[in-house]
Short mmCIF file of all heavy atoms in Angstrom, two decimals:
data_model
loop_
_atom_site.label_atom_id
_atom_site.label_comp_id
_atom_site.label_asym_id
_atom_site.label_seq_id
_atom_site.Cartn_x
_atom_site.Cartn_y
_atom_site.Cartn_z
N THR A 1046 107.04 131.01 -65.35
CA THR A 1046 105.85 130.44 -64.71
C THR A 1046 106.20 129.77 -63.37
O THR A 1046 105.36 129.69 -62.49
CB THR A 1046 105.14 129.43 -65.63
OG1 THR A 1046 106.08 128.41 -66.02
CG2 THR A 1046 104.59 130.11 -66.86
N ARG A 1047 107.42 129.32 -63.21
CA ARG A 1047 107.86 128.73 -61.95
C ARG A 1047 107.76 129.76 -60.82
O ARG A 1047 107.47 129.42 -59.68
CB ARG A 1047 109.29 128.22 -62.09
CG ARG A 1047 109.81 127.48 -60.88
CD ARG A 1047 111.23 126.96 -61.09
NE ARG A 1047 111.36 126.19 -62.31
CZ ARG A 1047 112.14 126.52 -63.33
NH1 ARG A 1047 112.89 127.60 -63.28
NH2 ARG A 1047 112.21 125.78 -64.42
N HIS A 1048 107.99 131.02 -61.13
CA HIS A 1048 107.96 132.07 -60.12
C HIS A 1048 106.59 132.74 -59.99
O HIS A 1048 106.36 133.49 -59.05
CB HIS A 1048 109.01 133.14 -60.45
CG HIS A 1048 110.41 132.64 -60.35
ND1 HIS A 1048 111.08 132.56 -59.16
CD2 HIS A 1048 111.25 132.17 -61.30
CE1 HIS A 1048 112.29 132.06 -59.38
NE2 HIS A 1048 112.42 131.82 -60.65
N ALA A 1049 105.70 132.47 -60.91
CA ALA A 1049 104.39 133.13 -60.92
C ALA A 1049 103.56 132.72 -59.71
O ALA A 1049 103.52 131.55 -59.34
CB ALA A 1049 103.65 132.80 -62.21
N GLY A 1050 102.92 133.68 -59.10
CA GLY A 1050 102.00 133.39 -58.01
C GLY A 1050 102.61 133.17 -56.65
O GLY A 1050 101.90 132.87 -55.69
N ILE A 1051 103.91 133.30 -56.51
CA ILE A 1051 104.54 133.13 -55.20
C ILE A 1051 104.31 134.40 -54.40
O ILE A 1051 104.67 135.50 -54.83
CB ILE A 1051 106.04 132.83 -55.33
CG1 ILE A 1051 106.26 131.50 -56.05
CG2 ILE A 1051 106.71 132.81 -53.95
CD1 ILE A 1051 107.71 131.20 -56.37
N LEU A 1052 103.71 134.26 -53.22
CA LEU A 1052 103.47 135.41 -52.34
C LEU A 1052 104.69 135.69 -51.47
O LEU A 1052 105.00 136.83 -51.16
CB LEU A 1052 102.25 135.15 -51.46
CG LEU A 1052 100.94 134.87 -52.19
CD1 LEU A 1052 99.85 134.51 -51.20
CD2 LEU A 1052 100.55 136.07 -53.03
N ALA A 1053 105.37 134.63 -51.04
CA ALA A 1053 106.57 134.74 -50.21
C ALA A 1053 107.20 133.36 -50.12
O ALA A 1053 106.58 132.35 -50.47
CB ALA A 1053 106.24 135.25 -48.82
N THR A 1054 108.43 133.30 -49.64
CA THR A 1054 109.11 132.04 -49.37
C THR A 1054 109.43 131.99 -47.88
O THR A 1054 110.09 132.89 -47.36
CB THR A 1054 110.39 131.89 -50.20
OG1 THR A 1054 110.04 131.93 -51.59
CG2 THR A 1054 111.10 130.59 -49.90
N PHE A 1055 108.93 130.96 -47.21
CA PHE A 1055 109.19 130.75 -45.79
C PHE A 1055 110.49 129.97 -45.69
O PHE A 1055 110.60 128.86 -46.18
CB PHE A 1055 108.02 129.97 -45.18
CG PHE A 1055 108.14 129.67 -43.71
CD1 PHE A 1055 109.02 130.34 -42.88
CD2 PHE A 1055 107.32 128.71 -43.14
CE1 PHE A 1055 109.09 130.05 -41.52
CE2 PHE A 1055 107.38 128.41 -41.79
CZ PHE A 1055 108.27 129.08 -40.98
N ARG A 1056 111.51 130.58 -45.07
CA ARG A 1056 112.84 129.97 -44.93
C ARG A 1056 113.07 129.67 -43.46
O ARG A 1056 112.89 130.55 -42.61
CB ARG A 1056 113.90 130.91 -45.48
CG ARG A 1056 115.28 130.33 -45.50
CD ARG A 1056 116.22 131.33 -46.18
NE ARG A 1056 117.56 130.85 -46.23
CZ ARG A 1056 118.06 130.07 -47.18
NH1 ARG A 1056 117.30 129.66 -48.16
NH2 ARG A 1056 119.30 129.68 -47.15
N LEU A 1057 113.48 128.45 -43.17
CA LEU A 1057 113.62 128.00 -41.78
C LEU A 1057 114.87 127.16 -41.62
O LEU A 1057 115.16 126.30 -42.46
CB LEU A 1057 112.38 127.18 -41.41
CG LEU A 1057 112.26 126.66 -40.00
CD1 LEU A 1057 112.21 127.80 -38.99
CD2 LEU A 1057 111.01 125.79 -39.87
N THR A 1058 115.62 127.40 -40.55
CA THR A 1058 116.81 126.63 -40.22
C THR A 1058 116.59 125.95 -38.88
O THR A 1058 116.17 126.61 -37.91
CB THR A 1058 118.06 127.54 -40.12
OG1 THR A 1058 118.23 128.20 -41.37
CG2 THR A 1058 119.30 126.75 -39.79
N THR A 1059 116.84 124.64 -38.82
CA THR A 1059 116.73 123.89 -37.56
C THR A 1059 117.82 122.83 -37.51
O THR A 1059 118.61 122.70 -38.44
CB THR A 1059 115.36 123.17 -37.43
OG1 THR A 1059 115.29 122.14 -38.40
CG2 THR A 1059 114.20 124.12 -37.58
N GLY A 1060 117.79 122.06 -36.44
CA GLY A 1060 118.77 120.99 -36.28
C GLY A 1060 118.53 119.80 -37.18
O GLY A 1060 119.44 119.02 -37.43
N GLY A 1061 117.30 119.64 -37.67
CA GLY A 1061 117.03 118.45 -38.48
C GLY A 1061 115.95 118.65 -39.53
O GLY A 1061 115.04 119.46 -39.38
N ARG A 1062 116.09 117.88 -40.58
CA ARG A 1062 115.17 117.93 -41.71
C ARG A 1062 113.75 117.59 -41.32
O ARG A 1062 112.80 118.22 -41.80
CB ARG A 1062 115.69 116.95 -42.76
CG ARG A 1062 114.89 116.85 -44.00
CD ARG A 1062 115.58 115.87 -44.98
NE ARG A 1062 114.66 115.48 -46.00
CZ ARG A 1062 113.94 114.36 -45.98
NH1 ARG A 1062 114.05 113.52 -44.99
NH2 ARG A 1062 113.13 114.09 -46.97
N ASP A 1063 113.55 116.60 -40.46
CA ASP A 1063 112.20 116.18 -40.07
C ASP A 1063 111.44 117.30 -39.37
O ASP A 1063 110.23 117.44 -39.56
CB ASP A 1063 112.25 114.93 -39.20
CG ASP A 1063 112.71 113.70 -39.98
OD1 ASP A 1063 112.66 113.72 -41.22
OD2 ASP A 1063 113.14 112.72 -39.33
N ASP A 1064 112.15 118.09 -38.56
CA ASP A 1064 111.51 119.23 -37.88
C ASP A 1064 110.96 120.22 -38.91
O ASP A 1064 109.83 120.71 -38.79
CB ASP A 1064 112.50 119.95 -36.97
CG ASP A 1064 112.99 119.07 -35.83
OD1 ASP A 1064 112.26 118.14 -35.44
OD2 ASP A 1064 114.10 119.34 -35.33
N ILE A 1065 111.77 120.53 -39.90
CA ILE A 1065 111.35 121.49 -40.93
C ILE A 1065 110.16 120.95 -41.71
O ILE A 1065 109.17 121.66 -41.93
CB ILE A 1065 112.51 121.82 -41.89
CG1 ILE A 1065 113.57 122.63 -41.15
CG2 ILE A 1065 112.02 122.57 -43.13
CD1 ILE A 1065 114.82 122.90 -41.94
N LEU A 1066 110.23 119.70 -42.11
CA LEU A 1066 109.13 119.13 -42.89
C LEU A 1066 107.83 119.10 -42.09
O LEU A 1066 106.76 119.36 -42.63
CB LEU A 1066 109.51 117.73 -43.37
CG LEU A 1066 110.63 117.70 -44.42
CD1 LEU A 1066 111.02 116.26 -44.75
CD2 LEU A 1066 110.23 118.45 -45.67
N ALA A 1067 107.90 118.82 -40.79
CA ALA A 1067 106.70 118.82 -39.95
C ALA A 1067 106.09 120.22 -39.87
O ALA A 1067 104.87 120.39 -39.98
CB ALA A 1067 107.04 118.29 -38.56
N ILE A 1068 106.94 121.22 -39.69
CA ILE A 1068 106.46 122.61 -39.62
C ILE A 1068 105.86 123.03 -40.96
O ILE A 1068 104.78 123.61 -41.02
CB ILE A 1068 107.60 123.56 -39.19
CG1 ILE A 1068 108.00 123.24 -37.75
CG2 ILE A 1068 107.20 125.02 -39.36
CD1 ILE A 1068 109.35 123.78 -37.35
N PHE A 1069 106.55 122.73 -42.04
CA PHE A 1069 106.05 123.09 -43.36
C PHE A 1069 104.72 122.38 -43.65
O PHE A 1069 103.84 122.96 -44.27
CB PHE A 1069 107.07 122.76 -44.44
CG PHE A 1069 108.22 123.74 -44.52
CD1 PHE A 1069 109.26 123.54 -45.41
CD2 PHE A 1069 108.27 124.88 -43.71
CE1 PHE A 1069 110.31 124.44 -45.50
CE2 PHE A 1069 109.33 125.78 -43.79
CZ PHE A 1069 110.34 125.56 -44.70
N ASN A 1070 104.58 121.14 -43.22
CA ASN A 1070 103.31 120.44 -43.42
C ASN A 1070 102.18 121.11 -42.65
O ASN A 1070 101.05 121.14 -43.13
CB ASN A 1070 103.44 118.97 -43.07
CG ASN A 1070 104.09 118.18 -44.19
OD1 ASN A 1070 103.77 118.38 -45.35
ND2 ASN A 1070 105.01 117.32 -43.84
N GLN A 1071 102.48 121.68 -41.48
CA GLN A 1071 101.46 122.45 -40.75
C GLN A 1071 101.01 123.65 -41.58
O GLN A 1071 99.82 123.96 -41.63
CB GLN A 1071 102.02 122.97 -39.42
CG GLN A 1071 102.25 121.93 -38.37
CD GLN A 1071 102.92 122.55 -37.14
OE1 GLN A 1071 103.00 123.77 -37.00
NE2 GLN A 1071 103.43 121.70 -36.26
N ILE A 1072 101.97 124.32 -42.19
CA ILE A 1072 101.65 125.50 -43.00
C ILE A 1072 100.84 125.09 -44.23
O ILE A 1072 99.83 125.70 -44.55
CB ILE A 1072 102.94 126.23 -43.45
CG1 ILE A 1072 103.81 126.61 -42.25
CG2 ILE A 1072 102.61 127.43 -44.33
CD1 ILE A 1072 103.18 127.52 -41.25
#
């Protein structure tokens, strides 16, 4: 059930955690 309904996984690499979290929050 943990994997059920996942359409895709967005994977992102940047210089900092805050950048990733901000982008993911936009999504």
Side-chain angles (χ1 to χ4, degrees):
T1046 56
R1047 185 178 308 117
H1048 294 278
I1051 296 173
L1052 301 175
T1054 299
F1055 180 17
R1056 185 175 180 86
L1057 183 62
T1058 302
T1059 68
R1062 180 178 164 263
D1063 292 341
D1064 296 334
I1065 291 174
L1066 292 175
I1068 293 162
F1069 283 177
N1070 280 317
Q1071 289 175 12
I1072 304 300

